[in-house]
Amino acid sequence: MTAYTTLLGSYATSNLFTCPADTFHYDYLTNSLPVNPGYAYVATGLHEQPASDFSSYGFNGGDLLTGGTNTDSIAGRKLASIRAPAKTVLVADYAAFFPYSWHHPRKPSISAPGQFNDAMNMVGFVDGHVSYVKIYWNTSRRDCFALCYEPPAGYDYKWSGD
């Protein structure tokens, strides 16, 4: 049973929370660390995996996954405390957190780990608008995914509410 099933019943496992482009995903191969992270292409949608609660979308709540460490998420924050609601991510394609793109896929490469940088993803912001934005991938960070750090200047989003 997923976390959403209790709240949403049969809607949780329906296509209601499925992006039509979510037809594949990459598994992160931790056994290839610390030299280079590896990625294995999987020809099934991420929404088909129990770990994603059968959804293509994720809440900007990385603190909930890591016990409150190593992320700039808005987990536990009151919406009124968010300083830049038009730039702060509320919900996004799950692929944005890693980040790759279902909409413009590129194969990852150990020899070119920056290939995931600037992956385009759908993002819903705290102020309610939705936009298609590029997501920054810090290839020098081997300890976390994109939601663990703010992007540099020139990106149209932020993870923290500060």
Side-chain angles (χ1 to χ4, degrees):
M1 180 181 292
T2 71
Y4 297 122
T5 303
T6 304
L7 296 172
L8 302 172
S10 63
Y11 289 111
T13 55
S14 72
N15 288 337
L16 181 63
F17 299 107
T18 302
C19 175
D22 180 4
T23 59
F24 69 94
H25 71 283
Y26 292 104
D27 275 346
Y28 189 70
L29 304 174
T30 57
N31 62 350
S32 62
L33 294 174
V35 179
N36 279 312
Y39 302 91
Y41 175 85
V42 180
T44 57
L46 191 58
H47 70 277
E48 298 176 66
Q49 311 310 307
S52 67
D53 285 327
F54 303 102
S55 174
S56 298
Y57 311 102
F59 170 67
N60 178 8
D63 284 349
L64 300 175
L65 299 173
T66 64
T69 62
N70 208 24
T71 68
D72 286 322
S73 79
I74 59 171
R77 303 266 313 252
K78 293 184 185 276
L79 292 181
S81 74
I82 306 298
R83 290 188 182 161
K87 287 197 67 132
T88 304
V89 175
L90 178 64
V91 66
D93 288 338
Y94 261 135
F97 301 129
F98 298 110
Y100 59 90
S101 175
W102 296 315
H103 309 283
H104 289 103
R106 291 180 274 174
K107 274 187 124 174
S109 167
I110 289 176
S111 62
Q115 278 187 300
F116 281 157
N117 201 31
D118 294 343
M120 298 296 291
N121 287 282
M122 293 304 297
V123 174
F125 293 88
V126 172
D127 73 346
H129 85 279
V130 175
S131 189
Y132 190 54
V133 300
K134 63 182 178 176
I135 304 293
Y136 175 71
W137 179 251
N138 185 342
T139 58
S140 67
R141 292 286 304 264
R142 302 283 189 230
D143 62 330
C144 199
F145 298 112
L147 75 157
C148 296
Y149 45 79
E150 295 290 16
Y155 287 81
D156 295 329
Y157 72 95
K158 59 187 286 179
W159 298 109
S160 83
D162 298 330

